[in-house]
Amino acid sequence: MVVSSVYRRFAQKRVLTPGPTELPPWVRAALARETTNPDLDPGFLREYEEVVEMLRALVGAWQSRVYVWAGEAMLGLEAAVANAVRPGSKVLVVDNGVYGAGFADLVKMYGGEPVLLGLDWRSAADPAAVDRALERERDVEVVTLVHCDTPTGVYNGLEEIAKVVSAHGAFLIVDAVSSVGADVIDVDRWGIGALIGGSQKALNAPPGLTIMAVSKRALEREAEVGRRSYYMSYRVWEEWLEKEGFPYTMPDLLIYALKESLKKIQEEGLHSVVARHKAARAAARRGVEALGLEPFARRVEWNCPTATAFKTPIPAPEFRRHIWEKYGIMLAGSWGPVEREVMRIGHMGVQASADHLAVAISVLGAALRDYGFNVPVGKAVEEALEAFR
């Protein structure tokens, strides 16, 4: 039985979910800039090009093309599949999570034949298992992989798997929506065919932008597949950028917001950003465990640096609603077969900080006490903060 309260114990609501994330002050300021006509203003084209150059450095895509498209990251995921999968293409789906397995639906939508590995959702994908599958299924043309599968908080070794895929000559599509801006990624050196990012995760910008890093091989494969498209076409973007224009009107304020986020990452330095996210991962995991809860990923190195999923003794939809309505803190649930048993704390971008994790763990502990669980809230917060020392 939940103890009722005559007042709500918060002054300002906070969002601690794995995206969309809170917008930091510098991003909100960018959204208040004067708008322009992106189709006609040469100054906007220069700002777009600056954003692209910052993204190249962030994901190691100096030899690849980088685009920023108007549309939530799902646009990029679908475009990557549409431009690489032809009818009858065999596609190996690294399926150790909700989003990982979900690639199979996109593959089938475009006429491909998905081959699922049947992996454990609580463990990182074993590169050796991918290698064995590609050795067995020698006609696989494309491999799909989610770097950080946030619904379960499971983290895959992108560099190792990319090397395996390259060794077999297959084309790799990577969902890096929840890792761009929080982890080291090297598109060119690791041989990634197409990599997709999003604005609303570790980059702390509003939803609405897809980031695409597209290799030369991806451009060639698009021509081979021959799918007719406009909004999802790399070729169309190449033609318009060559003319110093865009195929449709760009959302200028979202580009300005993304630029400010990228500037902050540059100022901090990627090495520091990555270390901070690893500390946040440790803080969330230690705090959750101190409250007697079980992290979903079986090992800390299999846990996303940007989100921690854990099992809850209270049905997740009810529990997170209670936390939101009483304490004004938004934690996340999950989807699919783990929808009722798993909750998540987002620690992406600005959320990867001691104060955000202290709030998340303390409120989670207070809510458990509301349901009659005698948990050591203070100790749990201390454990979380210790990870940042």
Side-chain angles (χ1 to χ4, degrees):
M1 177 71 73
V2 178
V3 178
S4 63
S5 176
V6 294
Y7 62 93
R8 291 184 175 182
R9 302 177 185 178
F10 60 89
Q12 181 178 348
K13 295 180 178 180
R14 302 188 71 176
V15 177
L16 297 174
T17 62
T21 58
E22 289 184 357
L23 302 184
W26 49 91
V27 169
R28 294 200 302 270
L31 293 170
R33 279 182 56 179
E34 183 178 2
T35 59
T36 187
N37 185 325
D39 297 322
L40 303 176
D41 186 350
F44 175 78
L45 177 62
R46 287 194 297 272
E47 294 210 48
Y48 174 86
E49 290 172 341
E50 288 174 16
V51 167
V52 166
E53 289 306 303
M54 287 190 277
L55 287 168
R56 285 188 192 282
L58 187 62
V59 300
W62 298 108
Q63 306 302 317
S64 301
R65 301 294 290 167
V66 173
Y67 312 126
V68 183
W69 291 354
E72 200 271 340
M74 191 66 225
L75 166 66
L77 297 172
E78 182 166 352
V81 173
N83 290 318
V85 176
R86 59 188 131 202
S89 293
K90 189 174 283 189
V91 180
L92 183 67
V93 176
V94 181
D95 59 347
N96 62 325
V98 175
Y99 292 158
F103 258 121
D105 295 330
L106 282 175
V107 169
K108 287 186 284 189
M109 197 176 294
Y110 285 94
E113 299 177 11
V115 177
L116 277 68
L117 289 170
L119 298 175
D120 176 13
W121 280 23
R122 300 188 66 184
S123 306
D126 182 0
V130 177
D131 186 40
R132 289 192 297 271
L134 289 172
E135 187 66 32
R136 184 175 62 251
E137 306 280 350
R138 290 179 174 269
D139 53 347
V140 162
E141 299 178 25
V142 178
V143 177
T144 63
L145 174 72
V146 177
H147 192 192
C148 177
D149 209 314
T150 49
T152 50
V154 173
Y155 178 58
N156 289 313
L158 173 54
E159 180 178 4
E160 296 80 3
I161 292 175
K163 289 177 179 177
V164 168
V165 174
S166 292
H168 285 272
F171 181 89
L172 180 61
I173 296 173
V174 177
D175 173 348
V177 176
S178 295
S179 58
V180 168
D183 203 358
V184 174
I185 296 173
D186 199 327
V187 169
D188 294 340
R189 192 164 61 87
W190 296 348
I192 296 169
L195 180 132
I196 303 93
S199 55
Q200 78 275 23
K201 301 283 188 172
L203 297 174
N204 297 136
L209 295 176
T210 282
I211 295 160
M212 295 286 294
V214 177
S215 67
K216 179 182 178 183
R217 188 178 177 191
L219 299 175
E220 294 169 349
R221 190 162 181 90
E222 179 193 23
E224 293 169 7
V225 170
R227 182 157 282 113
R228 297 175 62 118
S229 175
Y230 185 85
Y231 208 85
M232 296 190 295
S233 171
Y234 310 144
R235 176 185 52 80
V236 168
W237 268 82
E238 288 295 313
E239 291 172 353
W240 275 92
L241 290 173
E242 190 174 330
K243 297 184 292 186
E244 298 190 333
F246 301 95
Y248 48 76
T249 302
M250 292 291 288
D252 55 339
L253 294 180
L254 293 184
I255 295 294
Y256 302 152
L258 178 58
K259 181 180 178 181
E260 290 306 309
S261 295
L262 293 168
K263 283 170 62 178
K264 284 292 182 182
I265 291 174
Q266 285 187 338
E267 290 169 8
E268 182 179 350
L270 185 58
H271 177 77
S272 172
V273 170
V274 171
R276 179 165 53 81
H277 279 83
K278 287 183 178 178
R281 171 176 68 181
R285 194 172 180 94
R286 288 166 63 169
V288 163
E289 288 178 327
L291 292 173
L293 301 173
E294 181 184 359
F296 195 79
R298 288 195 173 90
R299 299 182 187 173
V300 66
E301 63 268 27
W302 295 345
N303 198 126
C304 290
T306 51
T308 294
F310 54 92
K311 292 188 174 185
T312 168
I314 303 138
E318 173 190 338
F319 195 35
R320 63 184 176 83
R321 185 170 57 248
H322 170 73
I323 293 171
W324 174 241
E325 291 177 351
K326 182 172 182 180
Y327 297 101
I329 302 299
M330 184 176 287
L331 302 182
S334 190
W335 291 277
V338 295
E339 180 177 4
R340 291 186 62 78
E341 65 173 305
V342 168
M343 283 181 57
R344 299 174 295 149
I345 298 170
H347 34 87
M348 301 176 162
V350 294
Q351 296 173 333
S353 66
D355 65 312
H356 281 81
L357 269 300
V359 168
I361 297 301
S362 62
V363 167
L364 181 59
L368 284 168
R369 286 190 170 187
D370 291 340
Y371 279 83
F373 292 90
N374 185 21
V375 295
V377 180
K379 180 178 182 297
V381 173
E382 287 176 10
E383 286 287 335
L385 294 178
E386 187 65 30
F388 285 96
R389 294 190 190 279

